[in-house]
Amino acid sequence: MIIRQLIYLDALAREKHFRRAAEACHVSQPTLSAAIVQLEEELGVLIVERGRRFQGLTKEGDVVLAHARRILAEADLMKESIAELREGVSGRIRLGAIPTALPMIAHITAPFSSRYPAVSLTVLSLTSTEIQDRIDNFELDVGLTYLDNEPLDRVISKPIYQEAYVLLTREDGPLGGYETISWAEAGELKLCLLTSDMQNRRIIDGIFRSVGQSPRPAIETNSIFNLCSHAGIQGVSSIVSLQLLEFFGVPLGTKALPLVEPTAQRTIGLIVADRQPFAPLARNLLMMSRLVEDAGLPRRPIVR
């Protein structure tokens, strides 16, 4: 068994197509197929369901794939550790962030890139579930996600900031004279909210349930920017994070009302896999990241 065979298997599982997997590995399709067959012969099991097209992995293949990804991750970790001793911190780090945390991601990546210019970063917008899954499958090095709402497994975490919530609404609308608004009152409005696959939406639904409300949003989106744009429509309001507005500012013609009764916050922070030895790049990113409120970074005032 050689590392190359495991790389081909991982690519095939991701691409679900022999030709695309071969292209991703920069080899011919016969080369990739032959390597998979050789791996099956060496292990004495059928890994890939046979057919004219890729039909998936066998049960044994799923087990092989899980071990293959662990072996490949360990091989990458070995290379990183050796490179750190010889050349200092270098390589590539993959960071996944929940959509509501994207405006804050530069507070983490900018200081890291400044300190370690030889490291390249890939930042992906993912749901909290996708972040957990990709960390488990060695497809992500670090995640920026909620820490205190839904359970996290097999990770080490570090808090970065507290997410707070405001109602974004037209300043010339019926709520223009308000200074704050209760969650119970907000539950009676025509709302634009994130889709239910987003943990932010599940958090907001939970807060509404705590005050006896169960609003049905008029508009759902998976984009935090759509939340802001729809709040400019007459008769529609959005619930957004305070941090989003601190970064981009309040959209023209709208007003941000703090949501009260209750005043709710959730902790967002970095997570990495709880594995030993610790990956050098993930370790350095975690160590140098600080609470955003203590980072001395500029924050845009919220005009209400």
Side-chain angles (χ1 to χ4, degrees):
M1 187 191 307
I2 60 174
I3 294 294
R4 184 61 57 184
Q5 292 171 322
L6 304 183
I7 292 174
Y8 293 165
L9 176 61
D10 179 51
L12 181 60
R14 281 187 286 104
E15 299 294 338
K16 297 178 173 56
H17 192 281
F18 279 96
R19 178 181 56 78
R20 291 198 299 267
E23 290 174 352
C25 295
H26 306 291
V27 298
S28 67
Q29 184 173 329
T31 297
L32 183 138
S33 298
I36 299 295
V37 170
Q38 184 182 10
L39 181 60
E40 290 177 323
E41 292 174 349
E42 291 179 7
L43 296 176
V45 297
L46 191 65
I47 295 175
V48 180
E49 294 283 3
R50 289 298 183 262
R52 295 185 63 183
R53 297 181 179 180
F54 179 76
Q55 298 178 351
L57 302 181
T58 64
K59 291 181 180 179
E60 294 84 356
D62 287 334
V63 173
V64 174
L65 176 63
H67 284 280
R69 285 175 168 166
R70 188 172 295 111
I71 292 169
L72 292 174
E74 290 292 336
D76 288 341
L77 176 56
M78 177 182 64
K79 293 175 184 176
E80 284 181 20
S81 299
I82 293 172
E84 185 179 27
L85 290 173
R86 289 182 173 179
E87 308 162 8
V89 179
S90 62
R92 179 174 69 97
I93 189 165
R94 301 160 298 178
L95 196 158
I98 54 175
T100 58
L102 289 174
M104 310 298 287
I105 200 73
H107 296 337
I108 297 167
T109 57
F112 183 81
S113 293
S114 178
R115 184 169 179 179
Y116 301 112
V119 177
S120 61
L121 294 104
T122 299
V123 178
L124 302 173
S125 175
L126 302 168
T127 67
S128 57
T129 301
E130 289 171 332
I131 289 173
Q132 175 78 70
D133 290 344
R134 293 197 186 196
I135 284 180
D136 289 343
N137 291 324
F138 306 93
E139 297 173 323
L140 203 64
D141 302 303
V142 183
L144 183 62
T145 186
Y146 293 103
L147 301 185
D148 57 1
N149 189 59
E150 295 177 356
L152 293 164
D153 296 321
R154 305 171 298 280
V155 298
I156 297 170
S157 63
K158 182 176 184 178
I160 298 297
Y161 70 95
Q162 294 291 315
E163 182 178 78
Y165 309 102
V166 298
L167 184 84
L168 193 61
T169 190
R170 283 179 64 108
E171 60 184 355
D172 61 354
L175 303 176
Y178 282 45
E179 293 300 320
T180 63
I181 187 169
S182 71
W183 285 91
E185 290 174 306
E188 301 291 340
L189 302 175
K190 189 175 182 180
L191 294 174
C192 174
L193 301 176
L194 289 176
T195 52
S196 58
D197 60 321
M198 302 287 187
Q199 190 171 169
N200 172 271
R201 170 64 182 281
R202 297 193 292 274
I203 289 171
I204 288 171
D205 285 347
I207 299 172
F208 274 129
R209 285 195 297 272
S210 73
V211 296
Q213 289 281 18
S214 183
R216 292 185 177 181
I219 303 169
E220 293 182 300
T221 177
N222 63 358
S223 166
I224 57 174
F225 303 105
N226 277 334
L227 288 178
C228 292
S229 64
H230 279 98
I233 298 174
Q234 191 66 256
V236 177
S237 301
S238 298
I239 295 178
V240 303
S241 73
L242 179 64
Q243 288 73 24
L244 174 66
L245 301 183
E246 286 178 336
F247 190 83
F248 290 107
V250 178
L252 187 65
T254 65
K255 181 176 184 177
L257 301 175
L259 281 155
V260 297
E261 301 176 18
T263 299
Q265 293 186 333
R266 293 295 184 274
T267 303
I268 289 180
L270 293 172
I271 61 171
V272 298
D274 186 8
R275 305 187 188 106
Q276 295 297 329
F278 211 20
L281 294 181
R283 178 194 66 214
N284 287 318
L285 181 64
L286 202 67
M287 286 178 60
M288 72 171 294
S289 297
R290 295 186 293 167
L291 289 172
V292 168
E293 63 182 7
D294 296 331
L297 296 164
R299 306 185 80 164
R300 189 184 299 270
I302 302 300
V303 180
R304 298 186 178 95

